[in-house]
Amino acid sequence: MSDTAPTERNRLDEEESPYLRQHADNPVHWQPWDEQALEAARERDVPIFLSVGYAACHWCHVMEEESFADEEIAAFLNEHFVPIKVDREERPDLDSVYMSICQQVTGGGGWPLSAWLTPEGKPFYVGTYFPPEEKRGQPGFADLLQRLADSWNDPEQRADMETRAEQWTDAIESDLEATPADPEDPAEDIVQTAATIAHRGADRQHGGWGSGGPKFPQNGRLHALLRAAADGESPRDSKQARGAGTDPRDGGDDDYLAVVEETLDVMADRGLYDHVGGGFHRYATDSKWAVPHFEKMLYDNAEIPRAFLAGYQAIGSERYAAVVRETFAFVQRELQHPDGGFFSTLDAESAPVDDPDGETEEGLFYVWTPEQVREAVDDETDADIFCDYYGVTERGNFEGATVLAVRTPVSALAEEYDRDEDEITESLERALNQTFEAREDRPRPARDEKVLAGWNGLMIRALAEGAIVLDDAYAEVAADALDFVREHLWDAEAGRLSRRYKDGDVAIDGYLEDYAFLGRGALTLFEATGDVKHLAFAMDLGRAITEAFWDDERGTLFFTPRGGESLVARPQELTDQSTPSSTGVAVDLLLSLSHFSGGDRFEDVAERVLRTHADRVSSNPLQHASLTLATDTYEQGALELTLVGEQESYPAEWTETLADQYIPRRLVAHRPADGAHFADWLDALELDEAPPIWAGRDPKEDRPTAYVCRNFACSPPAHDLGEALAWGTE
């Protein structure tokens, strides 16, 4: 450890975050966000320059190369500011606070987030990426630093800056902390309202939402559309029943499944999806989903497959199931820690094949030229079919190469090559296997190997759903990840969760998203396996949420725990962004856990949160998709599927029914038939008596027995789950 004053050297080599370590060799005297750095700003009476990004962020790399590696810019930054670098994946609270004012002031946001703060942490200037010199009306970074330093050192201008900082801090508090004085009842039919708006705004030509680029996955909208379609008569079905010839893509009233199908099809077939290796990139840069931003995030490869699983059940396309299997294979192959947890991201950039130590470029690992395909694929005709199917051309569509996308149907290729469709499919499979093997020899994108509790929770939930719908082997993968997080990040004695594990180092108190996402994952794993330890852990996390994040006076759940670090505002996370709203997932978790609880605490907290934010949700249900879905579950009631018996003795029909049917608001509650075993379960859950979801629901005729219940009304006990569900879905 150096004796040099903290701000006289770059301290990021002491950090575990891969993103921070990427900047450890910069001439900028980067500091982590800690008390040493903040105290240095106060002692020197200079502003803080805060730069927020993440390891797979393309424009973060660009700004580093252009500005942070520049000796002159670095010297000026070091002299006139305290430069602080933050990994937004480790510190989403800081990102939320300063991104709020960036969006309010500039009308947009993104990363790198650049903010200049008073020594007290109050912002007075914000932006995102700045070029080194003025470009297209955007100030050059060096000139901007000079202007801000001059203004800070001018008493009159500094007074203006400090006044602005106070005003902007008030704006942050208003945006992130505000709750209404008069809570309302949650809106009725909220999911139908959301689906109607989503249907109206969908891009019926290219899929998804928005007429231009970029296009992001909108998983919450897909779930809302699927629920609404399941709740009522599908116009597609009614048209077919009447023999009408109307195209389901014509935008007809409430044609919700068509919008889901169009969107899932384009996400699976075009550039967002990695056709060779499986898995999804972050987003599409254009309206046609042709060229992605190539980074791969763990959360996308959890949440997008969940939407595909639901779509598979509702629509029946085997392509959707294949996409999920391929994505899970990618995650296990490229993002899994040897001991079970999951790493965070893969970078968008990699080095050229002929210069593995050279300068990295975006997309190199994933794109193809015809020459590269022919080098990889042994059979010339297989290579030609591959190029025709995926649109690989000499011109390409990205930097002289091609992002793969399905361009020519198998049926058309069969006609062109005078082969049957099975032969074309076999040819494509051979070529895919060979291109995959060839791609393995390319320099790989960097991997961010921190393990985040919340993101692992999302992946655990997706795998558990996959175990129910596709293959129960996914439950073991999910359980290994949950065991990893519990071992390394959960303090059972204190009932507290840490956020990040990296190479044995554990850091950062968990945020609401960590508790909520992990709790929801554990609960879904219980639904998949019937292992009560997963339900008990979900209950522990639910109790921790109500203790550490619930504010009884404000009637809301905050993102940061009570007693945590004091920032200029304590944020809530109400809207869905790149990940679901942590408040929405927490409410959904608490509502589900209330069925297993011996008291009303979980339901009371969930209900009050929904009432507090009812007006915001009803005024913009798509922006608050997770809260919209939670409100819908609260209003309609969960569909309780109590399955009594030992899982190994369940009828095959039960497994098939759960796999095949899309059942919105489903809550699977396994229960042992044996009384002593059931008593052990109650002990594990710290319950004195059976909660309503299990009470009185005994096996009949000593056979596995199913009960389907909603809002305190139940089907007769049945040995046929499909028969019981027919009662519950009438």
XYZ file of all heavy atoms in Angstrom, residues 13 22 74 87 144 278 417 603:
63
model
N -6.508 -0.169 -8.765
C -5.905 -1.498 -8.719
C -6.225 -2.214 -7.412
O -5.991 -3.420 -7.276
C -4.391 -1.420 -8.929
C -3.687 -0.583 -7.882
O -4.371 0.103 -7.090
O -2.440 -0.595 -7.857
N -10.235 -2.049 -15.309
C -9.933 -1.631 -16.674
C -9.312 -0.241 -16.710
O -8.594 0.102 -17.648
C -11.215 -1.631 -17.522
C -11.726 -3.005 -17.903
C -13.062 -2.938 -18.621
O -13.634 -1.864 -18.807
N -13.578 -4.086 -19.038
N -5.674 14.024 -18.356
C -5.573 13.416 -17.029
C -4.933 14.376 -16.032
O -5.406 14.510 -14.890
C -4.766 12.123 -17.112
N -18.671 1.533 -10.938
C -19.267 0.443 -11.709
C -20.762 0.444 -11.402
O -21.177 0.132 -10.290
C -18.622 -0.884 -11.291
C -19.143 -2.082 -12.077
O -20.210 -1.977 -12.709
O -18.475 -3.138 -12.036
N -14.487 21.449 -21.817
C -15.512 21.444 -20.774
C -14.875 21.441 -19.389
O -15.301 22.180 -18.484
C -16.415 20.223 -20.945
C -17.545 20.051 -19.923
C -18.483 21.252 -19.921
C -18.326 18.760 -20.212
N -25.834 -19.162 -29.486
C -26.936 -19.008 -28.556
C -26.784 -17.766 -27.704
O -25.700 -17.199 -27.552
N -32.250 -25.474 -54.073
C -31.183 -26.478 -54.137
C -31.706 -27.869 -54.525
O -30.938 -28.839 -54.518
C -30.454 -26.556 -52.790
C -29.527 -25.377 -52.545
C -30.002 -24.199 -51.973
C -28.187 -25.438 -52.901
C -29.159 -23.109 -51.754
C -27.336 -24.366 -52.686
C -27.837 -23.197 -52.111
O -26.990 -22.123 -51.900
N -48.661 -9.480 2.794
C -49.752 -8.947 1.979
C -50.019 -7.482 2.299
O -50.291 -6.677 1.400
C -51.026 -9.761 2.188
C -52.154 -9.322 1.265
C -53.366 -10.212 1.362
O -53.483 -10.960 2.353
O -54.205 -10.166 0.447
